[in-house]
Amino acid sequence: MDAQPAAQPREKYLYLLSEIADIVSSSIADKDICEGVLWELSSALDLDAAWIQKYNPATKTLTLLSQRGLPEQMQQELQTVPHGMNVIGKIVQERKPVYSNDVSKDRNFPWDTAVKLGYHAFVAAPVITGGRVMGLLGGLSHKYDLFTINEMKLFYIVAVCITDVCDRNSPEHVAQDIKMQQDEIAHTQLFLSALSHELKTPLTAIIASTGLLIEELEAMKEGTLLKIAQNISRGAVSLKNRLTELLSLSRNRDESFGIAWQEFDFSKLAKEVIDEISSMVKQKQQALEVEVSDGIKITGDDQRIEQILLNLLSNAIKFTPEGGTIRLKAGCDNGRLLVNVEDSGPGLSDDEKHKLFRPYYQLSADRSLPRIGLGLAITRQLVELHGGTIWVQSELGKGSTFTFSLPLHNK
């Protein structure tokens, strides 16, 4: 009886290493390899932030190569770390993996920035090959008592797996990576240009016609119909803006979504989103249960957070059968906004669950279309740009629950 609980994390870690081996041995770009590795680690170890740094022996500094969930302040701090300085620089200097379950009280790992941002558990391992330091792999969590020596050893193994990524400095590797990215961008842009041509004309007509309809309904004082028309107009304008943005992003993958920071009422926004999707719910004869606390004030981009909610709720509606139930819950917990979107759909396999947010991953077996990375990949990026995290809990036949957490005050 005692051996069985230990087998469960062992199986989980073996599965994690198998997934990471698949990622690092694939032919995708280094950027996507790093993002895939960090996603797998974060999901398996319940990390709120994870990163990879690359070591430059000429300048004796660590530079940030890839990150997931790091707040902007920590991104700046980890962007350039001198060898031997800070807790990170010392790990590389001593060449040993470490872990701590409370950095606020651990004298061996004093890290004021992490403590101020509410992190407690910390794990890191140097990336070493042939006796040479290549970089560092690190992870943080808001939880206490999360890690043991087993997780530290696991981190060290994963660090070994990514040595090739950190070592790719040769002109041949750089040229090959650039060529691969250029081909992918060209393929994506061709598809999005065709999509734009097909959608822009009917969208413009919908927006113009809806505007006229709103004027007529205002004059007739048709309150219910006016509200429906306003929802249609708002959705069409939002879709046009998203389409324009995706076209811009397809031209330059290094661009990112802009965030317009301001304080707004999340509770009010959630109710507006519910109004937008109510007709979709009625069409499928689904039940929508809403439990959103009143007066939740958050600092962020209201349009981006609206996009996050719409993406998650639209997915829930899509995968929930007729007569099924969708639940939206939102509240505050320890200075953070916590939102759950639950569906009663078919659920996800373990394989799909682990790969769902990976850049350009598609659930469909059809790979004839370009991998444009829409939906959940964009949702994850928007959540992380707000300094938040997103995850999924699901079992086959038992539906799925998508949860995201954002700091209430990020700026």
Side-chain angles (χ1 to χ4, degrees):
M1 294 294 292
D2 292 338
Q4 192 167 358
Q8 293 177 353
R10 188 183 304 122
E11 292 174 0
K12 180 176 72 172
Y13 295 162
L14 287 173
Y15 180 81
L16 168 66
L17 291 175
S18 173
E19 289 294 297
I20 287 177
D22 286 343
I23 295 170
V24 299
S25 62
S26 66
S27 59
I28 60 177
D30 285 353
K31 178 182 177 182
D32 293 340
I33 289 176
C34 291
E35 289 182 0
V37 168
L38 294 180
W39 161 247
E40 296 291 349
L41 267 177
S42 298
S43 300
L45 300 185
D46 203 14
L47 301 176
D48 292 304
W51 69 95
I52 298 171
Q53 287 169 291
K54 188 173 183 177
Y55 183 67
N56 186 333
T59 60
K60 293 186 177 181
T61 56
L62 286 160
T63 56
L64 193 62
L65 183 64
S66 184
Q67 63 85 23
R68 183 178 186 276
L70 278 177
E72 185 176 346
Q73 184 177 349
M74 293 202 68
Q75 290 184 44
Q76 293 175 354
E77 181 170 325
L78 295 174
Q79 189 62 51
T80 304
V81 178
H83 180 272
M85 298 294 290
N86 191 311
V87 62
I88 300 302
K90 290 179 180 178
I91 292 169
V92 170
Q93 185 181 45
E94 296 173 4
R95 301 188 174 201
K96 295 179 180 178
V98 300
Y99 76 97
S100 173
N101 281 311
D102 189 356
V103 290
S104 66
K105 297 179 180 178
D106 196 330
R107 294 181 180 179
N108 293 319
F109 309 106
W111 199 352
D112 292 341
T113 306
V115 173
K116 289 176 183 177
L117 293 172
Y119 293 107
H120 299 291
F122 165 61
V123 60
V127 180
I128 300 174
T129 181
R132 294 182 300 136
V133 176
M134 308 305 303
L136 179 135
L137 177 66
L140 287 164
S141 173
H142 293 293
K143 296 181 179 179
Y144 293 95
D145 301 324
L146 188 63
F147 304 130
T148 68
I149 193 170
N150 291 329
E151 283 75 31
M152 183 183 73
K153 290 179 179 178
L154 180 71
F155 241 64
Y156 190 69
I157 294 170
V158 175
V160 172
C161 292
I162 62 172
T163 53
D164 283 347
V165 177
C166 292
D167 194 30
R168 284 172 187 162
N169 294 315
S170 68
E172 293 80 8
H173 279 299
V174 174
Q176 183 180 3
D177 199 32
I178 292 174
K179 178 65 167 59
M180 186 185 300
Q181 291 186 28
Q182 288 174 339
D183 290 345
E184 186 174 342
I185 290 170
H187 196 199
T188 300
Q189 189 173 347
L190 181 63
F191 172 74
L192 286 178
S193 296
L195 181 68
S196 173
H197 178 76
E198 293 296 323
L199 291 181
K200 272 189 174 180
T201 300
L203 265 178
T204 302
I206 290 171
I207 292 169
S209 300
T210 309
L212 294 173
L213 179 60
I214 288 172
E215 291 179 5
E216 292 292 329
L217 293 174
E218 285 175 342
M220 297 167 61
K221 297 183 179 180
E222 290 282 353
T224 302
L225 295 177
L226 175 60
K227 192 173 183 180
I228 294 172
Q230 288 171 337
N231 285 340
I232 295 171
S233 177
R234 181 180 176 184
V237 170
S238 177
L239 178 58
K240 187 176 181 180
N241 290 340
R242 298 293 82 80
L243 179 62
T244 301
E245 185 173 73
L246 286 171
L247 283 167
S248 175
L249 288 172
S250 75
R251 296 187 186 103
N252 186 353
R253 273 189 61 187
D254 292 333
E255 290 182 9
S256 184
F257 296 100
I259 299 295
W261 297 97
Q262 63 177 342
E263 186 179 69
F264 66 94
D265 190 331
F266 174 84
S267 306
K268 181 180 177 182
L269 175 68
K271 291 173 183 176
E272 291 174 350
V273 171
I274 292 300
D275 286 341
E276 279 192 63
I277 64 160
S278 59
S279 60
M280 297 166 60
V281 173
K282 288 179 182 177
Q283 284 179 354
K284 294 190 69 173
Q285 298 178 334
Q286 296 166 337
L288 178 60
E289 299 177 3
V290 180
E291 186 180 329
V292 178
S293 302
D294 293 328
I296 300 176
K297 296 295 178 66
I298 184 170
T299 302
D301 190 320
D302 57 344
Q303 292 187 23
R304 301 303 184 190
I305 294 177
E306 177 186 10
Q307 191 176 351
I308 293 167
L309 283 174
L310 281 172
N311 283 350
L312 294 179
L313 286 167
S314 297
N315 271 354
I317 294 167
K318 178 180 179 181
F319 291 106
T320 297
E322 289 190 6
T325 302
I326 298 160
R327 296 180 180 87
L328 171 65
K329 295 182 180 180
C332 299
D333 181 26
N334 195 26
R336 298 180 70 86
L337 169 68
L338 194 65
V339 181
N340 295 325
V341 177
E342 180 182 349
D343 66 56
S344 56
L348 299 166
S349 67
D350 287 339
D351 185 57
E352 289 175 330
K353 194 164 48 176
H354 279 83
K355 297 178 180 178
L356 197 59
F357 295 99
R358 189 181 296 174
Y360 314 114
Y361 176 71
Q362 293 173 302
L363 286 176
S364 170
D366 183 9
R367 293 295 188 267
S368 59
L369 295 177
R371 300 179 299 166
I372 57 177
L374 303 177
L376 291 174
I378 289 177
T379 301
R380 186 196 71 172
Q381 185 179 1
L382 293 176
V383 168
E384 292 178 353
L385 284 171
H386 282 83
T389 55
I390 184 169
W391 63 95
V392 61
Q393 294 175 305
S394 183
E395 291 183 45
L396 284 174
K398 296 185 179 180
S400 304
T401 300
F402 287 84
T403 304
F404 68 90
S405 172
L406 305 176
L408 292 175
H409 303 290
N410 209 339
K411 284 287 180 177

